[in-house]
Amino acid sequence: MSSVFESPWLLLTVAAILLAAASIAWRTRPEWGLRSFLLPAVAVGAAFGLDVLVQTDSEQIHSLLNFCRRAVLEGNVRQIAPCIASTYADPVHRNKEDLLNAAESILRGAALEKVVERGHTLRIHGDTAQSQVRFRVHLSPQRSAYAAAGSLMFVVLEIHYQRQPNQRWQIQKVLLVSVNDSPINWHDV
């Protein structure tokens, strides 16, 4: 279901309907002047204002992932530390620090050129969320220690999130699902 906070299109549709009604009112009641167009103008302003001012849970999680993706591309894994919950744990990494150290070790030899999100399925349930994200990863063929397997990889991650008391989302757990459509997990890396 569409939300007025997710996209301006719902309110823009309402504004278009109001504009049609306002133009009819303007023709039948010329004494109203341009005041009949005030309500459609307010609806358009509200559509874009709500879209810009209110960040939904889904938008927060998408911007969190984009921030992490950019930090990894820049080679600055420590920059994503605030995005990871202090209670982080997955089957291999016991805590947040273990994950950051492992990520630094992996990315040191990766020589990433580009990471593109190819698909994202997100489910939010109260204060928890889970997503499966598919990335297309381009490695530098000359500099990457992993390029022997090819300079293009498709990586699928399952990411669990937890809403913090400050209402911001943080990553609670990351599971490696597959690389190039072959099932894989953190133990295989």
Side-chain angles (χ1 to χ4, degrees), residues 5-187:
F5 300 111
E6 290 281 341
S7 168
W9 293 110
L10 184 61
L11 281 177
L12 288 176
T13 303
V14 169
I17 293 167
L18 289 173
L19 183 61
S23 64
I24 292 170
W26 183 61
R27 287 186 186 146
T28 59
R29 304 235 178 184
E31 66 272 10
W32 286 4
L34 295 178
R35 281 182 279 159
S36 60
F37 294 102
L38 188 60
L39 198 53
V42 168
V44 168
F48 290 110
L50 286 174
D51 190 47
V52 169
L53 294 175
V54 177
Q55 192 176 35
T56 64
D57 290 337
S58 176
E59 290 169 334
Q60 282 183 30
I61 290 171
H62 279 91
S63 68
L64 173 78
L65 285 177
N66 282 332
F67 176 81
C68 291
R69 184 184 54 79
R70 284 191 308 271
V72 166
L73 270 172
E74 293 168 3
N76 190 354
V77 172
R78 293 289 163 182
Q79 193 175 359
I80 68 172
C83 302
I84 300 172
S86 58
T87 57
Y88 180 92
D90 66 46
V92 171
H93 310 103
R94 294 183 326 259
N95 55 42
K96 175 181 181 174
E97 195 60 33
D98 283 355
L99 174 72
L100 292 173
N101 290 337
E104 282 180 330
S105 173
I106 292 168
L107 293 174
R108 196 173 297 122
L112 299 174
E113 285 186 346
K114 187 169 32 169
V115 176
V116 180
E117 185 180 303
R118 299 297 296 163
H120 186 194
T121 306
L122 176 64
R123 291 181 307 278
I124 300 173
H125 305 286
D127 287 343
T128 62
Q130 180 181 350
S131 66
Q132 189 164 49
V133 190
R134 183 174 175 91
F135 292 103
R136 184 180 71 216
V137 179
H138 296 265
L139 304 173
S140 170
Q142 295 82 20
R143 298 181 298 128
S144 176
Y146 306 109
S151 61
L152 175 63
M153 299 175 132
F154 295 96
V155 177
V156 178
L157 300 175
E158 182 179 303
I159 306 172
H160 298 254
Y161 311 89
Q162 181 71 41
R163 187 193 323 263
Q164 302 304 309
N166 65 1
Q167 299 303 308
R168 304 305 295 171
W169 289 91
Q170 285 186 320
I171 296 170
Q172 188 71 35
K173 177 172 38 173
V174 178
L175 301 173
L176 185 57
V177 176
S178 70
V179 173
N180 292 338
D181 294 323
S182 296
I184 193 169
N185 60 46
W186 285 124
H187 292 290

